[in-house]
Amino acid sequence: MIKEKRPIIIDTDPGIDDAVALSIALNHPELDVQLLTTVAGNVNVHKTTENTLKLVSFFEKQVPVAKGCDKPLLIQLEDSAEIHGESGMDGYDFPKATAKALDIHAVEAMKDCILSSSEPITLVPIAALTNIALLLSMYPETKQNIKEIVMMGGSLSRGNTNTSAEFNTYVDPHAAQIVFQSGIPIVMVGLDVTSTALLTKNETEKIKAFGKVGNMFYSLFQHYRGGSLQTGLKMHDVCAIAYLTDPDLFTVQETFIEIALDGPAAGATVADLKMKYHDSTNATACLDIDIPAFQKWVVSNLEKIN
Ligand code: BDR
Ligand code: CA
C-alpha cells in the first residue's frame, strides 16, 4: 500500500549529517518537503544557507529555502566547524548553487507555509531551535496546524558539548525551553540513539559505489569528524528522518523534559523518566534504535537516489 506523503518543514544547519538527512528526505517517496529553513549552528547561517541551496541544486529539487536566524536568542553562537569543516560541508566541491533563497525570513516562510497548508505540518528541526522558538512566540496561531515536532537534539544521558548537553540544545537552550514548553507533541531523537547508530565500513563502502551521489557522500565522509570511516560515522540528523518514515525502528518513552539554561549542564535536556516530579508528559524520547535495520534503511535510501 502506498502511504500518503507527509508534509514536513526541515530546519537545518548543514553540516555533513544534515546533508545526508536532507538528501534522503528530499528523495523519499513518503515525505513531502514543503520548505527548508536554515539557522546558525554547525557554521554561520550564510554558510548553512549556501550549503542547503547547493544540496537542493545538486538533487535538482524545486523546494524553497529560507534563511533564518544568524545567532541564538540570548547567547553567542558556538559553532561546530571542527566536526564539519570551515564550510560546514568540507570535502566535496559542489557546483555553484542554481537555487536561490526566498527573500523572506525563515520564520515568515514557515508561518506562511503552515497557515496555508490544508494538512497539519510536521516540523523537523535538525539544528538549534532558534527559528522554531521564534515562530511559536511570534505566531502562536501556527500551533494549531503543526502536527508534531520531530527533532534531532538532546540526550537522556551524556552530552557531546559539555558533560550533559547535546550540541543543538546547547547552542540555544532558551529556544529549546520555549519549544519544550509549547504544548506541541515533540519527539526527541537524541544522542541516546544517534550516537549508537553508526555507519560502519560495511555501509560506507556500499555507499561509495553509488555513482555521483555515493562519490559526493564518500568525499564528505572522509572529512567528517563525527566519528571516522574506520570507527564508524555518527549520522545524528538522519535518525530524525528515519523516525518520520520508520518509527518502528525506535523504542520510545513518554516523559517530561526540562531544559537546563545555565551552569555546567547548560543546554541539557533533563528528563523525568520515572515521572516522579511531573503529572503529565511533554515529549516522546527515543531510548533505543534497531541499528542493523537503520543501517540498511540508510543504504537502501541512498541507493534509490541514483
Ligand atoms: C547535532 O549537532 C550537529 O553538529 C549535527 O549536525 C547534529 O544536528 C548532533 O549533536
Ligand atoms: Ca544538524
Side-chain angles (χ1 to χ4, degrees), residues 19-55:
V20 183
L22 294 184
S23 306
I24 294 179
L26 286 168
N27 290 288
H28 200 288
E30 289 166 26
L31 298 176
D32 173 12
V33 184
Q34 301 227 336
L35 173 68
L36 295 170
T37 53
T38 61
V39 69
N42 284 324
V43 286
N44 72 43
V45 74
H46 307 291
K47 292 180 182 175
T48 62
T49 307
E50 197 49 38
N51 291 344
T52 305
L53 292 167
K54 281 180 180 166
L55 288 165

Side-chain angles (χ1 to χ4, degrees), residues 119-176:
E119 237 187 282
I121 300 272
T122 297
L123 299 184
V124 189
I126 53 175
L129 291 160
T130 320
N131 289 333
I132 310 291
L134 276 184
L135 170 78
L136 302 178
S137 306
M138 291 170 65
Y139 301 112
E141 67 274 26
T142 55
K143 288 186 191 175
Q144 65 201 14
N145 211 25
I146 297 173
K147 185 177 156 73
E148 62 179 334
I149 296 175
V150 177
M151 58 170 278
M152 189 283 133
S155 171
L156 301 170
S157 46
R158 292 284 292 266
N160 61 357
T161 49
N162 60 32
T163 310
S164 316
E166 179 280 330
F167 179 75
N168 291 338
T169 50
Y170 172 84
V171 168
D172 198 341
H174 304 93

Side-chain angles (χ1 to χ4, degrees), residues 3 10 13 49 75 80 87 105 107 143 146 158 181 199-200 232 271 299:
K3 283 198 214 161
I10 304 179
D13 62 342
T49 307
I75 58 177
S80 190
S87 71
H105 192 277
V107 171
K143 288 186 191 175
I146 297 173
R158 292 284 292 266
Q181 290 179 348
L199 287 191
T200 68
V299 172

